[in-house]
Amino acid sequence: LLLRVIISSTEARRVQLPEVPESVDSLIRILQERLQLQGPFFLQFEDPDFGNALCNLSEISELPSERAVLHIQWSRSSLHETNSLSSISSLDTACLDSSEASSHSPTVSVQRYLRTASEWPLPFPIPTLSFDVELKLRRGNETYEKTKIGIDVTRDIKMEVLDKIVQAVFYIKAYPDNQEIESIASALISKYPCLKEPGKGKGYEGWLISIKNKLNNYRAKLRMAGCNEVSVNRKRKDDGNPFTLKKAKRGEVNHIPEHPCNHTDTSLEEQILSLVEETKKARRNIAAISVKMELTFSLRRKEVVQEQPMIVDVQERWPALFYQEQICEEFFRITNKDLLGVFMTAIDMYTPKLLKLYRARKGAFGQDMDALLERLDERVSSISVYSVPAALEGLPVFLRENPTELFKKCKETEDGTKGVSVGILYVMEDNTQTTSPMIQNIAVVLEEVVVPDPSTALAYLFGLLYALNFSYPKNLK
């Protein structure tokens, strides 16, 4: 079954299934997994019996055979309301005042100022142009099919095309790389062949340069307008230091978003004070904490990226950020990916392959790998439980690094945080009579500060690196 899935007015994806799903619910689950969609939605399909008019998909048998066009309709009551690219600009803001935000539960809190597309769309969806330009290009395409001669691109056509493209690009990503920009130029001449440049080459080299220049000019305009996301990336020289340039890491879609409308630094500071007070209570209101963390996200990112505070300072000002559930939420706000879901799925996929690789080449890695595999083999009754930790602990050994650089061990009576920039700390039982002491606790350590001990420590460490804009040590692959 071949599907064209229209996620929004500017994004459509091609999905091929080996067989027709058993039910509509099964199809929705497959689409959520394949396209990494977050939040509830229902499906509509283009019915060929009624001139491709949209109909709600209630039975899988209603789908046209072999190929179909599906439209995703997002539920308005979802926390992450929509993944459509029409509402993911970091300049699009939600009109939530502080009283509304504090009274709403997190299941209905919607903030449109955050981007919600975690992947660069391929092919890039060229936005709809003004009616007159669309008409000229349509006639140009018809002529190009017959004569293979492109149209004369006037200044008004070029400005309209570039203006619409750069706005659509910024909705997805502020700083696309060269390959992503090339995908835009390629998609442009695919949609409008009459814009293809004559001569040898790919036919879009000139458009490629124009798009890059237009993006630079557009970011300059946003910088002058006070957009935080591009202002933080300006070249600057402070106290005699060389120029620094900070851009979003790979995978970050919300590097420094704008504040929600009706909110300023002052109003968000009031939310922070009430948030800190809530964390001090014996019986914390988790729902209220989630709402306030969502509301103050823009100010938190601004502080973390621009001021680069110490971890102890972040813990004091944002204690809720280090709760396990908030680490996952913050990672989702930054990357639009489910931290534990993606991490554990990858672990389940790669653990058997990694262990097989370790065993096949264990002689090349000395005693560390032998000891690791021997400990795993001793736990025959619960080998499935210990296989994931073994696969992770074997990675630095396999990459010929010192495993103690990442995985630290100390006894209960010792302080194992001294000098640790980034690491996973295993607290072992203080028993000298056993050759293999048991692990009593596991903690994430950042800048000698112990973060609460989650069981999936490495996943939470990864989430914290993003939440705190922390640089992973170069000596730890």
PDB file of all heavy atoms in Angstrom, residues 192-208:
ATOM      1  N   TYR A 192       8.551  23.906 -10.411  1.00  0.00           N
ATOM      2  CA  TYR A 192       8.448  24.874 -11.507  1.00  0.00           C
ATOM      3  C   TYR A 192       9.614  24.668 -12.474  1.00  0.00           C
ATOM      4  O   TYR A 192      10.629  25.372 -12.403  1.00  0.00           O
ATOM      5  CB  TYR A 192       8.467  26.302 -10.973  1.00  0.00           C
ATOM      6  CG  TYR A 192       7.399  26.598  -9.949  1.00  0.00           C
ATOM      7  CD1 TYR A 192       7.738  26.839  -8.621  1.00  0.00           C
ATOM      8  CD2 TYR A 192       6.053  26.637 -10.307  1.00  0.00           C
ATOM      9  CE1 TYR A 192       6.760  27.116  -7.675  1.00  0.00           C
ATOM     10  CE2 TYR A 192       5.066  26.908  -9.371  1.00  0.00           C
ATOM     11  CZ  TYR A 192       5.433  27.140  -8.052  1.00  0.00           C
ATOM     12  OH  TYR A 192       4.476  27.405  -7.132  1.00  0.00           O
ATOM     13  N   PRO A 193       9.509  23.694 -13.387  1.00  0.00           N
ATOM     14  CA  PRO A 193      10.616  23.420 -14.331  1.00  0.00           C
ATOM     15  C   PRO A 193      10.979  24.631 -15.178  1.00  0.00           C
ATOM     16  O   PRO A 193      12.120  24.734 -15.661  1.00  0.00           O
ATOM     17  CB  PRO A 193      10.067  22.280 -15.195  1.00  0.00           C
ATOM     18  CG  PRO A 193       8.973  21.664 -14.377  1.00  0.00           C
ATOM     19  CD  PRO A 193       8.388  22.759 -13.569  1.00  0.00           C
ATOM     20  N   CYS A 194      10.050  25.558 -15.348  1.00  0.00           N
ATOM     21  CA  CYS A 194      10.329  26.737 -16.179  1.00  0.00           C
ATOM     22  C   CYS A 194      11.370  27.650 -15.535  1.00  0.00           C
ATOM     23  O   CYS A 194      11.907  28.542 -16.189  1.00  0.00           O
ATOM     24  CB  CYS A 194       9.043  27.519 -16.440  1.00  0.00           C
ATOM     25  SG  CYS A 194       8.242  28.166 -14.946  1.00  0.00           S
ATOM     26  N   LEU A 195      11.672  27.443 -14.240  1.00  0.00           N
ATOM     27  CA  LEU A 195      12.689  28.237 -13.551  1.00  0.00           C
ATOM     28  C   LEU A 195      14.081  27.620 -13.671  1.00  0.00           C
ATOM     29  O   LEU A 195      15.055  28.178 -13.158  1.00  0.00           O
ATOM     30  CB  LEU A 195      12.328  28.386 -12.065  1.00  0.00           C
ATOM     31  CG  LEU A 195      11.036  29.146 -11.744  1.00  0.00           C
ATOM     32  CD1 LEU A 195      10.803  29.178 -10.241  1.00  0.00           C
ATOM     33  CD2 LEU A 195      11.093  30.558 -12.309  1.00  0.00           C
ATOM     34  N   LYS A 196      14.174  26.476 -14.325  1.00  0.00           N
ATOM     35  CA  LYS A 196      15.465  25.816 -14.463  1.00  0.00           C
ATOM     36  C   LYS A 196      16.394  26.650 -15.321  1.00  0.00           C
ATOM     37  O   LYS A 196      16.001  27.184 -16.362  1.00  0.00           O
ATOM     38  CB  LYS A 196      15.279  24.432 -15.088  1.00  0.00           C
ATOM     39  CG  LYS A 196      16.532  23.579 -15.080  1.00  0.00           C
ATOM     40  CD  LYS A 196      16.236  22.151 -15.541  1.00  0.00           C
ATOM     41  CE  LYS A 196      17.480  21.288 -15.465  1.00  0.00           C
ATOM     42  NZ  LYS A 196      17.208  19.896 -15.903  1.00  0.00           N
ATOM     43  N   GLU A 197      17.644  26.754 -14.856  1.00  0.00           N
ATOM     44  CA  GLU A 197      18.621  27.604 -15.554  1.00  0.00           C
ATOM     45  C   GLU A 197      19.220  26.844 -16.735  1.00  0.00           C
ATOM     46  O   GLU A 197      19.493  25.648 -16.643  1.00  0.00           O
ATOM     47  CB  GLU A 197      19.720  28.025 -14.574  1.00  0.00           C
ATOM     48  CG  GLU A 197      19.185  28.867 -13.421  1.00  0.00           C
ATOM     49  CD  GLU A 197      20.131  28.911 -12.242  1.00  0.00           C
ATOM     50  OE1 GLU A 197      21.144  28.172 -12.273  1.00  0.00           O
ATOM     51  OE2 GLU A 197      19.856  29.647 -11.286  1.00  0.00           O
ATOM     52  N   PRO A 198      19.426  27.523 -17.858  1.00  0.00           N
ATOM     53  CA  PRO A 198      19.976  26.845 -19.046  1.00  0.00           C
ATOM     54  C   PRO A 198      21.456  26.514 -18.858  1.00  0.00           C
ATOM     55  O   PRO A 198      22.136  27.050 -17.986  1.00  0.00           O
ATOM     56  CB  PRO A 198      19.779  27.884 -20.147  1.00  0.00           C
ATOM     57  CG  PRO A 198      19.774  29.206 -19.431  1.00  0.00           C
ATOM     58  CD  PRO A 198      19.137  28.943 -18.091  1.00  0.00           C
ATOM     59  N   GLY A 199      21.930  25.611 -19.700  1.00  0.00           N
ATOM     60  CA  GLY A 199      23.341  25.235 -19.655  1.00  0.00           C
ATOM     61  C   GLY A 199      23.566  23.969 -18.862  1.00  0.00           C
ATOM     62  O   GLY A 199      22.636  23.293 -18.405  1.00  0.00           O
ATOM     63  N   LYS A 200      24.850  23.632 -18.716  1.00  0.00           N
ATOM     64  CA  LYS A 200      25.200  22.425 -17.981  1.00  0.00           C
ATOM     65  C   LYS A 200      25.055  22.657 -16.482  1.00  0.00           C
ATOM     66  O   LYS A 200      24.979  23.786 -16.014  1.00  0.00           O
ATOM     67  CB  LYS A 200      26.629  22.008 -18.309  1.00  0.00           C
ATOM     68  CG  LYS A 200      26.837  21.610 -19.767  1.00  0.00           C
ATOM     69  CD  LYS A 200      28.263  21.170 -20.018  1.00  0.00           C
ATOM     70  CE  LYS A 200      28.459  20.748 -21.471  1.00  0.00           C
ATOM     71  NZ  LYS A 200      29.851  20.311 -21.736  1.00  0.00           N
ATOM     72  N   GLY A 201      25.054  21.563 -15.742  1.00  0.00           N
ATOM     73  CA  GLY A 201      24.891  21.668 -14.304  1.00  0.00           C
ATOM     74  C   GLY A 201      23.528  21.156 -13.869  1.00  0.00           C
ATOM     75  O   GLY A 201      22.781  20.557 -14.661  1.00  0.00           O
ATOM     76  N   LYS A 202      23.190  21.421 -12.643  1.00  0.00           N
ATOM     77  CA  LYS A 202      21.938  20.911 -12.082  1.00  0.00           C
ATOM     78  C   LYS A 202      20.752  21.806 -12.394  1.00  0.00           C
ATOM     79  O   LYS A 202      19.607  21.415 -12.158  1.00  0.00           O
ATOM     80  CB  LYS A 202      22.091  20.751 -10.569  1.00  0.00           C
ATOM     81  CG  LYS A 202      23.165  19.743 -10.178  1.00  0.00           C
ATOM     82  CD  LYS A 202      23.300  19.627  -8.662  1.00  0.00           C
ATOM     83  CE  LYS A 202      24.378  18.610  -8.288  1.00  0.00           C
ATOM     84  NZ  LYS A 202      24.560  18.484  -6.824  1.00  0.00           N
ATOM     85  N   GLY A 203      21.024  23.002 -12.845  1.00  0.00           N
ATOM     86  CA  GLY A 203      19.927  23.875 -13.236  1.00  0.00           C
ATOM     87  C   GLY A 203      19.406  24.767 -12.134  1.00  0.00           C
ATOM     88  O   GLY A 203      18.442  25.515 -12.351  1.00  0.00           O
ATOM     89  N   TYR A 204      20.038  24.704 -10.946  1.00  0.00           N
ATOM     90  CA  TYR A 204      19.548  25.563  -9.858  1.00  0.00           C
ATOM     91  C   TYR A 204      20.695  26.234  -9.102  1.00  0.00           C
ATOM     92  O   TYR A 204      20.488  26.739  -7.990  1.00  0.00           O
ATOM     93  CB  TYR A 204      18.690  24.768  -8.879  1.00  0.00           C
ATOM     94  CG  TYR A 204      19.335  23.528  -8.291  1.00  0.00           C
ATOM     95  CD1 TYR A 204      20.357  23.608  -7.345  1.00  0.00           C
ATOM     96  CD2 TYR A 204      18.909  22.268  -8.668  1.00  0.00           C
ATOM     97  CE1 TYR A 204      20.931  22.476  -6.801  1.00  0.00           C
ATOM     98  CE2 TYR A 204      19.475  21.125  -8.137  1.00  0.00           C
ATOM     99  CZ  TYR A 204      20.479  21.233  -7.197  1.00  0.00           C
ATOM    100  OH  TYR A 204      21.046  20.098  -6.653  1.00  0.00           O
ATOM    101  N   GLU A 205      21.868  26.277  -9.688  1.00  0.00           N
ATOM    102  CA  GLU A 205      23.019  26.869  -8.997  1.00  0.00           C
ATOM    103  C   GLU A 205      22.772  28.339  -8.636  1.00  0.00           C
ATOM    104  O   GLU A 205      23.112  28.803  -7.540  1.00  0.00           O
ATOM    105  CB  GLU A 205      24.278  26.752  -9.855  1.00  0.00           C
ATOM    106  CG  GLU A 205      24.871  25.347  -9.921  1.00  0.00           C
ATOM    107  CD  GLU A 205      24.166  24.434 -10.897  1.00  0.00           C
ATOM    108  OE1 GLU A 205      23.213  24.909 -11.571  1.00  0.00           O
ATOM    109  OE2 GLU A 205      24.560  23.264 -11.008  1.00  0.00           O
ATOM    110  N   GLY A 206      22.183  29.089  -9.562  1.00  0.00           N
ATOM    111  CA  GLY A 206      21.891  30.494  -9.298  1.00  0.00           C
ATOM    112  C   GLY A 206      20.861  30.668  -8.194  1.00  0.00           C
ATOM    113  O   GLY A 206      20.988  31.554  -7.343  1.00  0.00           O
ATOM    114  N   TRP A 207      19.823  29.821  -8.211  1.00  0.00           N
ATOM    115  CA  TRP A 207      18.811  29.867  -7.153  1.00  0.00           C
ATOM    116  C   TRP A 207      19.424  29.519  -5.803  1.00  0.00           C
ATOM    117  O   TRP A 207      19.032  30.075  -4.767  1.00  0.00           O
ATOM    118  CB  TRP A 207      17.673  28.902  -7.473  1.00  0.00           C
ATOM    119  CG  TRP A 207      16.749  29.394  -8.532  1.00  0.00           C
ATOM    120  CD1 TRP A 207      16.655  28.960  -9.819  1.00  0.00           C
ATOM    121  CD2 TRP A 207      15.780  30.434  -8.397  1.00  0.00           C
ATOM    122  NE1 TRP A 207      15.699  29.653 -10.507  1.00  0.00           N
ATOM    123  CE2 TRP A 207      15.127  30.569  -9.656  1.00  0.00           C
ATOM    124  CE3 TRP A 207      15.388  31.262  -7.355  1.00  0.00           C
ATOM    125  CZ2 TRP A 207      14.119  31.505  -9.868  1.00  0.00           C
ATOM    126  CZ3 TRP A 207      14.375  32.194  -7.568  1.00  0.00           C
ATOM    127  CH2 TRP A 207      13.758  32.314  -8.813  1.00  0.00           C
ATOM    128  N   LEU A 208      20.382  28.600  -5.795  1.00  0.00           N
ATOM    129  CA  LEU A 208      21.042  28.203  -4.555  1.00  0.00           C
ATOM    130  C   LEU A 208      21.726  29.404  -3.894  1.00  0.00           C
ATOM    131  O   LEU A 208      21.579  29.651  -2.695  1.00  0.00           O
ATOM    132  CB  LEU A 208      22.059  27.101  -4.846  1.00  0.00           C
ATOM    133  CG  LEU A 208      22.655  26.338  -3.670  1.00  0.00           C
ATOM    134  CD1 LEU A 208      21.589  25.591  -2.906  1.00  0.00           C
ATOM    135  CD2 LEU A 208      23.717  25.364  -4.162  1.00  0.00           C
TER     136      LEU A 208
END
